[in-house]
Amino acid sequence: MLLSTVIIGHAALRKEYKNLKTYIKTANYGKGREQIAKGLADSTLNNDPYFYELAIALETKANDAENMKLYLKQNYDTASFFNTGSKIVEYSLLQDSLQAIENPATIAAKRKKKVAKLIPHYQNLYNGGIFFVKRKQWGDADRMFSMYIDASTNPMFQGVAVSNLSKLSRAAFWSMSACFETQRYGDVFKYHDLAEADTANLNYVLQYEALSYVQLKDTANFVGKLKEGIACNLSSEFFVSRLSDHYNAIHDYRSAYQLSDSLVRADSTSALFRYVRTIALFNLKDYDKCIDNTLRLLNIDSTNIEANYYLGLCWYNKGLDLDATILPDPTSVKYKESKQVVHQMFERAMPYLEKFRIARPDDKERWQAPLYRIYFSLNLSDKLKSLEQ
């Protein structure tokens, strides 16, 4: 029974190989790949080095055909050229791993000749990745770059310098980009240490990582990555603004202020750092310091409309706070004096808020209520009427 099973198995195996050889000979790549796909799912075939030899032969012939078109300056399929090359690498590595198990003593001698032929195809994995990136074919790009990185440490290339850290780290960056673009946020981190070695793109690498942590709902690592981004690139608005927004969103205004304070100490002329400090001081209700900081901000950037809003709101809130402490006694001199101070604060707030209103007419939720209160308190009927209209 066992013998008949083996004989039947061998007969079936010979038929599969015969079919595959026919497809290679006739350049029927479509049918040949169907046969290979079938074989990869069959444990009898996918453990046989000879199966991979035939698979390599099919893809090599297809690759050579596209290469010849290029040589003859004929129209050729660039994607097919790179894809067939990647398959040659894939099947060669699979075949080598099986041969290393079967004949560990002789594998090193056999590899030398094979590696020489394989290196051009291996190096084209990087070029293929760039080709697919330019066409925004992110899945194919990631496949190319991932194979380029993984294969670089394969035993088949032992002792052969097939790549260097600079190129591997750039491949890791492009793999990360491709994973992010296809919303595979967990895969963004598969080569993150290597990607972070790409110093030219480190700013973008940290951004991809931070945004991926947001999608993965990992707040601790998100905050950590923003801090790392600030440490690496202090001037980056991406990291500064998002960390500030995070602290303000969770009402941790003290941390937001400490962040802004360290930033301003590092560069007091940065409009961004001054603005972050304005928000922090405003949320802490430290209106006097907020006014001072925001005036410094306007000296740096006179076009900053948000600065006008916060200046106006600081004076307005100071007026409201004072007004809330005044005892209602119209006959009292102190009452009248205190009311006059409130009106002065409203008067100081008014031009800033009006400037903000002109610049942001649709942002009514922010300017309408304070301006209405100011116009009403100062008895500015014309302005009040205009606001009501």
Side-chain angles (χ1 to χ4, degrees):
M1 182 68 179
L2 182 60
L3 180 59
S4 63
T5 303
V6 172
I7 292 171
I8 292 169
H10 283 179
L13 203 63
R14 285 197 298 271
K15 184 180 178 182
E16 295 289 344
Y17 289 158
K18 183 180 178 181
N19 289 340
L20 194 47
K21 286 176 182 178
T22 300
Y23 297 140
I24 295 169
K25 185 177 180 180
T26 59
N28 192 338
Y29 306 123
K31 284 291 185 181
R33 286 174 185 135
E34 287 179 12
Q35 195 80 19
I36 292 168
K38 182 181 173 183
L40 289 171
D42 185 334
S43 60
T44 306
L45 291 168
N46 64 27
N47 282 301
D48 183 5
Y50 185 62
F51 166 72
Y52 293 105
E53 186 172 326
L54 293 177
I56 293 165
L58 179 87
E59 296 298 349
T60 299
K61 188 169 184 177
N63 186 267
D64 288 344
E66 295 302 332
N67 212 13
M68 181 58 71
K69 291 176 187 177
L70 176 62
Y71 177 76
L72 297 174
K73 298 183 179 179
Q74 298 174 350
N75 290 332
Y76 74 106
D77 187 339
T78 310
S80 177
F81 172 75
F82 286 124
N83 282 327
T84 53
S86 73
K87 288 298 181 184
I88 293 169
V89 174
E90 178 186 347
Y91 298 147
S92 296
L93 297 180
L94 288 170
Q95 182 191 47
D96 180 78
S97 65
L98 292 172
Q99 290 174 332
I101 295 170
E102 288 184 355
N103 301 294
T106 61
I107 189 64
K110 290 181 178 180
R111 279 174 178 163
K112 190 172 182 181
K113 188 175 180 180
K114 289 183 177 180
V115 166
K117 291 181 179 179
L118 192 60
I119 285 177
H121 296 297
Y122 167 78
Q123 292 175 339
N124 262 337
L125 292 172
Y126 186 92
N127 299 327
I130 296 297
F131 170 82
F132 289 120
V133 163
K134 289 179 179 178
R135 283 152 185 79
K136 299 187 187 303
Q137 294 175 239
W138 301 112
D140 289 322
D142 178 47
R143 178 173 55 81
M144 290 284 178
F145 288 121
S146 294
M147 190 180 295
Y148 182 79
I149 295 166
D150 293 340
S152 68
T153 56
N154 190 279
M156 190 171 182
F157 292 131
Q158 189 173 4
V160 182
V162 291
S163 189
N164 55 50
L165 177 60
S166 175
K167 209 161 185 179
L168 287 168
S169 62
R170 183 59 52 86
F173 163 71
W174 284 121
S175 169
M176 178 179 282
S177 302
C179 292
F180 184 84
E181 292 292 341
T182 50
Q183 299 179 2
R184 291 181 292 124
Y185 300 112
D187 287 343
V188 162
F189 300 95
K190 61 183 175 178
Y191 305 118
H192 69 102
D193 288 337
L194 193 55
E196 288 176 12
D198 183 8
T199 54
N201 288 305
L202 181 58
N203 191 41
Y204 295 112
V205 168
L206 297 178
Q207 287 185 37
Y208 282 134
E209 291 176 348
L211 292 174
S212 295
Y213 280 130
V214 172
Q215 297 299 325
L216 296 170
K217 303 187 187 313
D218 187 341
T219 303
N221 275 315
F222 168 66
V223 171
K225 196 57 63 175
L226 293 178
K227 290 179 178 178
E228 186 180 342
I230 292 172
C232 292
N233 185 6
L234 187 64
S235 62
S236 175
E237 182 177 352
F238 177 91
F239 301 107
V240 170
S241 60
R242 278 168 175 74
L243 186 54
S244 172
D245 289 346
H246 169 73
Y247 286 140
N248 290 320
I250 63 173
H251 308 295
D252 186 0
Y253 304 133
R254 182 56 54 187
S255 291
Y257 174 73
Q258 290 171 348
L259 168 67
S260 70
D261 196 48
S262 64
L263 293 170
V264 169
R265 272 196 248 122
D267 183 2
S268 62
T269 64
S270 168
L272 171 62
F273 298 170
R274 286 287 178 186
Y275 179 66
V276 169
R277 194 178 205 184
T278 284
I279 303 297
L281 289 167
F282 180 81
N283 285 329
L284 287 169
K285 299 183 179 181
D286 195 339
Y287 299 127
D288 289 331
K289 283 186 178 180
C290 187
I291 289 168
D292 176 71
N293 181 77
T294 310
L295 287 172
R296 293 173 187 267
L297 167 58
L298 280 175
N299 284 334
I300 298 167
D301 179 10
S302 61
T303 64
N304 193 309
I305 296 302
E306 289 292 321
N308 284 276
Y309 173 74
Y310 283 105
L311 270 174
L313 215 58
C314 279
W315 282 113
Y316 173 70
N317 285 351
K318 279 170 64 71
L320 288 181
D321 289 347
L322 177 58
D323 196 46
T325 66
I326 300 173
L327 295 174
D329 184 2
T331 62
S332 165
V333 173
K334 186 176 181 181
Y335 172 84
K336 292 178 181 179
E337 290 176 346
S338 296
K339 275 292 185 180
Q340 183 62 31
V341 174
V342 171
H343 289 170
Q344 288 172 354
M345 290 177 175
F346 283 174
E347 286 171 349
R348 298 194 73 168
M350 185 167 58
Y352 295 117
L353 290 172
E354 287 178 335
K355 191 171 183 178
F356 180 76
R357 177 192 176 187
I358 292 169
R360 305 276 175 81
D362 295 330
D363 208 352
K364 289 184 180 181
E365 289 187 1
R366 298 175 74 189
W367 54 256
Q368 192 172 47
L371 280 178
Y372 186 92
R373 174 70 181 268
I374 290 169
Y375 294 158
F376 183 83
S377 298
L378 299 180
N379 198 26
L380 299 173
S381 55
D382 290 342
K383 289 193 174 189
L384 190 61
K385 186 176 179 181
S386 173
L387 191 64
E388 288 174 341
Q389 289 175 343

